[in-house]
């Protein structure tokens, strides 16, 4: 009985100490200043679910444009840390340069078309601030960094391969497009601009690294497998609502 | 012969009577005022005005008022209704005139100067009709309150009907009286009722919350007092008043850092034109509590630098306008209308005077009269003497109201001047006692009980809630006597972070 009581007492003591240190930490902010503004935080993300939607663009592709629609679901443990899952799906359009190369010079360019991204990551938000426009209008924002990984689907159209007229059983052609999934990792950064106590506009930049088997995109199924890194720079914009 | 003669006389009389009652009287007697009013012709107003000119024909005055009301010349109608009421309850149209005046009051809210002069004659209240009672009761209540006959005022205010547009004001005044009589809890209850009935974001709502806060301060329930001050929104004209008055709550609640934080808002450049001289005294007292004597002297010097020129300027203005108070009113009007190149050092006080209900209500009525004069001038421009005579009546009324306003504003200005002089004397006393080293004596006068456990407060008059997420922004103080960087959104949120230097 005494041992249980001592254990309970020590637990409460430890919890209390950690709680106090948390409080003291907050009150210590700008303690060297004689005058501070202390008020409830404008936007409190703790224990809130974030749902977002918005367009995404892959910006570093020479011969195609890739546009996607992206949905986000995140849970914020605190104002600094969150876990986020997002899914993007889209399509790719050939650039005029690709068509000219093919049409005028018979140069077939091999491209990797990203069809979808499904990723989970960790968000760290170290910066919280406010901006004042010339009109006096004030808006709050935060800046975050993210890291994570998931699955990327690439679509191979094999439009750089010959047509099927003299095809062998192992040949791939534009008539037989295929989709392959690969693991991917990313590093990112972004900002949220809070438009109300429950919603924000955001932009996000990610460097997505896909680890693919290069032979999946070759014109022959016999090609030797080789691992290749494909890097996509994805820019997203969106609107988020916090529950 | 006699029979025939008598019969013809009787017949003529009958004809005359029948013509009179049908409004088609033969030449010499004319149609009745009611008949002219009912005819609805274009010349109704001119005819009735001519009939009513002497003021003797009450029917003509009454129907003139109704015609003016019908043409939406409400203030002019009110003038004539009032004239009938002033003639006393023996008049045939006494109750109808009260009803007419009451209807106008519900729409345009006549000011107290106008209404106060209405019920001059002695009235047997039992003979008043139900519809007339409310406005009569309100006017009599205001008069009793002014004469400090509080019980009588209470009785009259409680007779203002619930359907009357002034009902909430009457409740408010009852709460004020009850509080003055020492029944604080009942007063709070009534002020809460006023707040419930008031429109959101209305002055009445803010004033009710302010008064509940003040009563709680008197009851020494400081946390409840601060909670009510916190209900005044930032956009309210009473927000700074709430910030200032809650500073006293914080001081007496042994929280000088919150007091100084509030005062920091009041002293920001955003409010350089606002009038809170007592804030410097409060600042000095807070620093005195913290034994920071240099800061006490600084506060006193700041008061002198800022408010002594205002005090002297106001004294000069009042002295210069002692014989003609309308010039003083002109200064207030010029400030209100932002006439360029018409600035005075005492503009902070002129600003307050231009925001009083007294000034604003009178301004509204004056503007209505001005619009009505313009309308008559335009509408009846080909009716020479009629329009100028009618305009003369309206102008005379406007002038009377303005003269009374000038007198009352001058009196208010004088009380502000006396207030500044009194505060200046207090600062001189504090400075003198500091110089003489009578610090302990000064501090002992501050009866602040530090023993009770009290809640902590963050900025914006908000209590600190455990687990609440806060944001901190530092205030960058200026160098070499310059003001620091003030952000508009931070106003009201300051909390000082200084420790006591008392040993």
């Amino acid at each position: 009985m005494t041992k249980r009581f001592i254990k309970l007492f020590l637990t409460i003591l430890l919890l209390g100490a950690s709680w106090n240190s948390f409080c003291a930490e907050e009150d210590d902010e700008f303690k060297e200043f004689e005058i501070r503004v202390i008020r409830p935080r404008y936007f409190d993300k703790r224990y809130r679910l974030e749902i977002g939607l918005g367009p995404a663009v892959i910006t570093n592709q020479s011969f195609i444009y890739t546009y996607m629609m992206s949905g986000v679901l995140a849970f914020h443990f605190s104002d600094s840390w969150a876990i986020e899952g997002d899914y993007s799906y889209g399509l790719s359009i050939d650039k005029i340069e690709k068509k000219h190369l093919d049409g005028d010079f018979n140069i077939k360019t091999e491209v990797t078309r990203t069809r979808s991204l499904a990723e989970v990551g960790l968000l760290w938000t170290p910066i919280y601030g406010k901006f004042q426009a010339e009109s006096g209008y004030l808006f709050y924002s935060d800046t975050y960094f993210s890291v994570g990984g998931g699955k990327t689907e690439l679509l191979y159209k094999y439009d750089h391969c010959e047509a099927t007229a003299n095809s062998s059983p192992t040949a791939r052609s534009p008539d037989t497009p295929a989709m392959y999934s690969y693991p991917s990792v990313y590093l990112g950064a972004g900002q949220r601009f809070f438009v109300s106590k429950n919603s924000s506009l955001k932009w996000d930049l990610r460097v997505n690294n896909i680890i693919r088997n290069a032979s999946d995109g070759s014109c022959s199924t016999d090609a030797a497998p080789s691992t290749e890194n494909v890097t996509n720079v994805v820019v997203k914009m969106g609107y988020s609502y916090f529950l | 012969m006699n029979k025939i003669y008598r019969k013809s006389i009787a017949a003529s009389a009958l004809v005359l009577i029948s013509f009179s009652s049908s409004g088609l009287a033969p030449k010499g007697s004319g149609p009745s005022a009611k008949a002219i009013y009912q005819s609805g012709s274009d010349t109704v107003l001119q005819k009735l005005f001519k009939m009513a000119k002497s003021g003797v024909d009450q029917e003509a005055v009454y129907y003139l008022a109704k015609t003016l009301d019908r043409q939406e010349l409400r203030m002019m109608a009110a003038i004539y209704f009032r004239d009938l009421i002033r003639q006393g309850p023996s008049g045939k149209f006494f109750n109808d005139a009260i009803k007419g005046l009451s209807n106008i009051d519900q729409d345009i809210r006549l000011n107290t100067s106008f209404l106060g002069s209405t019920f001059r004659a002695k009235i047997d209240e039992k003979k008043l009709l139900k519809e007339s009672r409310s406005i009569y009761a309100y006017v009599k209540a205001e008069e009793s309150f002014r004469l400090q006959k509080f019980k009588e005022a209470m009785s009259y205010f409680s007779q203002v009907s619930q359907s009357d547009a002034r009902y909430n004001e009457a409740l408010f005044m009852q709460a004020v009286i009850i509080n003055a009589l020492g029944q604080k809890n009942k007063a709070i209850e009534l002020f809460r009722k006023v707040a419930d009935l008031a429109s959101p974001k209305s002055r009445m709502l803010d004033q009710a919350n302010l008064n509940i806060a003040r009563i709680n301060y008197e009851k020494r329930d400081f946390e409840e007092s601060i909670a009510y001050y916190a209900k005044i929104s930032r956009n309210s004209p009473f927000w700074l008043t709430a910030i200032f008055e809650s500073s006293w709550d914080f001081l007496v609640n042994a929280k000088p850092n919150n007091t100084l934080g509030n005062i920091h808002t009041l002293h920001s450049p955003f409010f350089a034109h606002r009038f809170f001289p007592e804030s410097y005294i409060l600042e000095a007292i807070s620093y005195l509590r913290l034994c920071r004597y240099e800061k006490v002297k600084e506060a006193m010097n700041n008061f002198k630098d800022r408010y002594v020129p205002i005090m002297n300027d106001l004294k000069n203005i009042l002295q210069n306008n002692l014989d003609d108070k309308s010039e003083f009113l002109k200064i207030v009007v010029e400030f209100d209308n932002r006439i360029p190149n018409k600035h005075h050092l005492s503009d902070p006080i002129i600003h307050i005077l231009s925001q009083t209900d007294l000034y604003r209500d009178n301004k509204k009525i004056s503007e209505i009269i001005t619009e009505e004069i313009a309308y008559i001038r335009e509408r009846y421009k080909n009716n020479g003497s009629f329009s100028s005579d009618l305009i003369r009546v309206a102008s005379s009324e406007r002038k009377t109201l303005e003269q009374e306003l000038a007198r009352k504003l001058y009196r208010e200005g004088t009380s502000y001047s006396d207030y500044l002089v009194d505060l200046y004397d207090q600062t001189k006393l504090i400075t003198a006692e500091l110089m003489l080293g009578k610090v302990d004596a000064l501090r002992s006068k501050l009866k602040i009980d530090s023993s009770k456990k009290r809640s902590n407060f963050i900025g914006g008059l908000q209590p600190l809630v455990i687990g609440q997420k806060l944001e901190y922004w530092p205030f960058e103080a200026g160098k070499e006597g310059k003001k620091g960087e003030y952000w508009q959104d931070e106003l009201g949120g300051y909390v000082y972070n200084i420790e006591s230097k008392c040993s």
Side-chain angles (χ1 to χ4, degrees):
Chain A
M1 180 71 177
T2 314
K3 276 187 183 171
R4 272 191 202 164
F5 178 78
I6 292 170
K7 269 188 193 166
L8 180 65
F9 175 75
L10 284 171
T11 310
I12 291 168
L13 200 64
L14 272 166
L15 279 172
S18 60
W19 176 252
N20 277 339
S21 67
F22 170 78
C23 284
E25 197 183 295
E26 237 191 5
D27 198 49
D28 279 347
E29 283 192 47
F30 304 115
K31 64 175 179 180
E32 68 278 17
F33 284 85
E34 195 173 275
I35 308 168
R36 303 181 291 181
V37 174
I38 308 175
R39 61 188 180 194
R41 198 171 169 117
Y42 177 78
F43 201 101
D44 188 355
K45 298 191 307 233
R46 281 178 308 169
Y47 310 126
R48 294 177 83 176
L49 197 66
E50 178 187 355
I51 302 170
L53 193 69
V57 175
I58 297 177
T59 60
N60 63 328
Q61 293 175 315
S62 307
F63 300 111
I64 53 172
Y65 297 111
T66 302
Y67 301 112
M68 307 175 108
M69 205 58 201
S70 180
V72 160
L73 187 68
F75 183 76
H76 295 264
F77 299 101
S78 68
D79 282 310
S80 301
W81 294 100
I83 191 161
E84 180 187 78
D86 75 88
Y87 182 75
S88 305
Y89 187 87
L91 51 83
S92 300
I93 302 165
D94 291 353
K95 287 186 181 177
I96 197 91
E97 289 82 358
K98 185 175 186 324
K99 290 174 187 168
H100 278 156
L101 283 171
D102 188 8
D104 299 345
F105 303 101
N106 203 28
I107 295 172
K108 309 276 185 193
T109 53
E110 183 182 347
V111 295
T112 48
R113 300 170 196 275
T114 305
R115 179 45 64 100
S116 72
L117 296 161
E119 291 165 326
V120 172
L122 193 64
L123 257 62
W124 175 52
T125 310
I127 301 170
Y128 172 76
K130 56 179 178 171
F131 297 90
Q132 185 167 37
E134 205 176 321
S135 62
Y137 183 77
L138 205 72
F139 49 101
Y140 291 83
S141 74
D142 65 18
T143 303
Y144 61 85
F145 300 98
S146 58
V147 63
K151 183 191 83 169
T152 303
E153 277 187 327
L154 297 180
L155 171 67
Y156 296 112
K157 284 189 175 176
Y158 303 116
D159 48 359
H160 64 288
C161 303
E162 294 296 332
T164 55
N166 299 315
S167 60
S168 73
T170 58
R172 290 185 174 122
S173 73
D175 298 331
T176 55
M179 198 104 77
Y180 287 84
S181 292
Y182 303 101
S184 56
V185 292
Y186 70 85
L187 275 175
Q191 275 188 315
R192 275 187 210 86
F193 297 95
F194 302 108
V195 295
S196 73
K197 298 268 183 170
N198 295 317
S199 59
S200 67
L201 297 172
K202 65 191 250 193
W203 69 268
D204 184 290
L205 185 140
R206 288 186 187 187
V207 176
N208 216 300
N209 193 63
I210 306 159
I211 307 152
R212 75 160 185 151
N213 180 0
S215 65
D216 291 338
S218 67
C219 294
S220 168
T221 56
D222 282 344
S226 67
T227 305
E228 186 184 78
N229 287 325
V230 175
T231 303
N232 282 338
V233 176
V234 186
V235 172
K236 298 185 191 183
M237 310 272 239
Y239 168 84
S240 286
Y241 187 81
F242 287 75
L243 296 167
Chain B
M1 181 66 175
N2 279 344
K3 268 190 188 174
I4 295 166
Y5 178 70
R6 267 187 253 130
K7 273 183 186 171
S8 66
I9 296 288
S12 303
L14 271 170
V15 166
L16 195 63
I17 288 164
S18 67
F19 271 128
S20 293
S21 60
S22 71
L24 298 172
K27 256 191 207 172
S29 54
S32 69
K34 184 177 179 180
I36 294 170
Y37 171 76
Q38 285 173 339
S39 70
S41 75
D42 286 346
T43 53
V44 167
L45 192 57
Q46 290 97 307
K47 286 178 184 166
L48 287 172
F49 182 74
K50 200 174 170 188
M51 287 172 79
K53 224 169 170 181
S54 64
V56 171
D57 187 346
Q58 289 194 357
E59 188 184 5
V61 173
Y62 176 68
Y63 283 105
L64 172 62
K66 282 189 64 96
T67 306
L68 288 163
D69 195 12
R70 190 165 63 184
Q71 292 194 19
E72 295 194 13
L73 297 167
R74 315 301 297 278
M75 269 313 298
M76 289 196 186
I79 292 167
Y80 285 102
F81 280 133
R82 185 189 58 186
D83 287 347
L84 279 172
I85 297 167
R86 278 176 175 173
Q87 289 180 34
S90 57
K92 184 182 164 190
F93 297 95
F94 176 74
N95 274 302
D96 291 317
I98 294 180
K99 193 176 165 190
L101 189 70
S102 176
N103 288 338
I104 293 173
D105 182 52
Q106 297 296 301
D107 279 343
I108 65 174
R109 303 295 289 276
L110 298 163
N111 64 347
T112 47
S113 297
F114 185 91
L115 286 175
S117 63
T118 302
F119 296 98
R120 283 178 183 166
K122 194 159 167 52
I123 293 166
D124 181 356
E125 292 171 24
K126 291 176 192 145
K127 288 188 179 166
L128 282 172
L129 295 179
K130 195 180 163 190
E131 307 86 69
S132 313
R133 258 182 221 289
S134 198
I135 188 171
Y136 174 79
Y138 189 85
V139 172
K140 295 306 282 183
E142 290 250 309
E143 196 182 296
S144 304
F145 183 82
R146 221 173 23 252
L147 297 169
Q148 298 190 20
K149 295 178 183 173
F150 292 138
K151 287 197 170 133
E152 195 175 281
M154 262 307 274
S155 166
Y156 278 122
F157 276 128
S158 62
Q159 291 176 43
V160 174
S161 128
Q162 276 199 26
S163 56
D164 195 314
R166 293 183 187 270
Y167 175 68
N168 213 14
E169 280 172 47
L171 266 186
F172 183 93
M173 292 306 294
Q174 285 178 70
V176 168
I177 293 169
I178 285 176
N179 182 50
L181 295 173
Q183 297 172 51
K184 299 203 181 305
N185 290 331
K186 202 167 170 200
I188 288 177
E189 226 177 273
L190 260 181
F191 278 125
R192 279 200 187 124
K193 196 173 169 188
V194 170
D196 289 340
L197 291 173
S199 324
K201 296 183 189 179
S202 63
R203 287 169 73 98
M204 184 60 78
L205 174 62
D206 288 338
Q207 283 172 322
N209 283 329
L210 265 180
N211 279 296
I212 295 173
R214 287 163 182 161
I215 296 173
N216 278 308
Y217 175 85
E218 287 171 17
K219 286 172 63 184
R220 299 185 74 81
D221 188 349
F222 302 115
E223 291 182 16
E224 190 69 359
S225 174
I226 291 169
Y228 272 91
Y229 281 124
K231 288 180 189 245
I232 312 294
S233 92
R234 245 182 123 83
N235 299 321
S236 165
F238 300 104
W239 181 65
L240 278 186
T241 303
I243 293 283
F244 170 65
E245 290 183 9
S246 60
S247 308
W248 281 106
D249 284 80
F250 284 127
L251 179 73
V252 183
N253 214 20
K255 300 206 177 298
N257 278 323
N258 287 94
T259 303
L260 290 169
N262 276 10
I263 291 169
H264 194 69
T265 293
L266 292 169
H267 292 173
S268 78
F270 287 101
F271 305 120
H273 60 288
R274 299 296 293 269
F275 183 74
F276 289 99
E278 208 177 308
S279 62
Y280 289 98
I281 312 290
L282 192 49
E283 188 182 14
I285 293 172
S286 302
Y287 280 126
L288 195 61
R289 255 197 72 69
L290 296 168
C291 299
R292 290 176 173 248
Y293 306 116
E294 285 308 310
K295 287 288 197 179
V296 175
K297 286 181 201 166
E298 199 180 301
M300 296 294 88
N301 287 335
N302 288 340
F303 171 88
K304 232 177 23 184
D305 292 342
R306 186 166 171 184
Y307 283 105
V308 168
I310 291 176
M311 181 180 77
N312 292 333
D313 186 58
L314 181 62
K315 266 188 197 167
N316 284 338
I317 290 175
L318 289 168
Q319 188 57 41
N320 293 341
N321 295 296
L322 181 63
D323 297 325
D324 185 6
K325 296 177 176 61
S326 63
E327 282 302 308
F328 185 73
L329 172 62
K330 198 175 159 193
I331 291 171
V332 179
V333 170
E334 282 170 351
F335 177 88
D336 190 35
N337 295 333
R338 288 166 172 72
I339 305 287
N341 304 321
K342 291 281 182 182
H343 294 296
H344 304 270
L345 283 170
S346 43
D347 274 353
I349 298 173
I350 308 293
H351 168 80
I352 293 179
L353 294 175
S354 73
Q355 297 300 305
T356 54
D357 287 343
L358 171 69
Y359 177 83
R360 285 153 46 96
D361 289 346
N362 189 286
K363 181 182 171 182
K364 184 190 75 183
I365 297 297
S366 267
E367 282 171 358
I368 293 173
I369 294 176
T370 303
E371 281 168 15
E372 291 181 6
I373 289 173
Y375 172 82
I376 288 170
R377 197 168 272 135
E378 181 56 35
R379 172 86 169 77
Y380 298 102
K381 59 185 170 193
N382 299 324
N383 284 273
S385 68
F386 158 70
S387 81
S388 55
D389 286 346
L390 194 54
I391 287 169
R392 198 172 300 123
V393 170
S395 302
S396 167
E397 182 63 35
R398 186 174 58 190
K399 192 173 176 188
T400 306
L401 290 173
E402 282 170 4
Q403 280 170 346
E404 196 175 330
L405 174 66
R407 258 195 330 273
K408 287 180 176 172
L409 279 181
Y410 187 91
R411 204 164 53 220
E412 286 279 315
T414 306
S415 71
Y416 278 111
S417 176
D418 294 341
Y419 173 56
L420 272 177
V421 167
D422 182 45
L423 285 178
Y424 185 39
D425 289 341
Q426 285 184 41
T427 63
K428 283 191 275 185
L429 179 65
I430 292 173
T431 309
E433 295 211 335
L434 269 179
M435 285 173 71
L436 289 169
K438 292 183 183 175
V439 167
D440 289 335
L442 269 175
R443 290 192 75 243
S444 69
K445 286 178 189 168
L446 304 171
K447 289 174 191 163
I448 292 161
D449 177 12
S450 308
S451 62
K452 281 190 200 169
K453 190 167 181 291
R454 293 177 176 88
S455 303
N456 286 323
F457 284 83
I458 58 176
L461 310 181
Q462 304 294 320
L464 176 66
V465 175
I466 299 292
Q468 182 182 39
K469 194 65 186 170
L470 300 174
E471 59 184 44
Y472 291 73
W473 302 101
F475 175 77
E476 302 274 359
K479 288 174 185 168
E480 292 167 5
K482 288 189 180 165
K483 293 263 183 190
E485 186 181 82
Y486 288 83
W487 284 61
Q488 200 165 16
D489 67 296
E490 293 176 359
L491 296 171
Y494 302 111
V495 181
Y496 269 54
N497 183 33
I498 55 177
E499 285 171 359
S500 172
K501 281 190 173 175
C502 302
S503 50

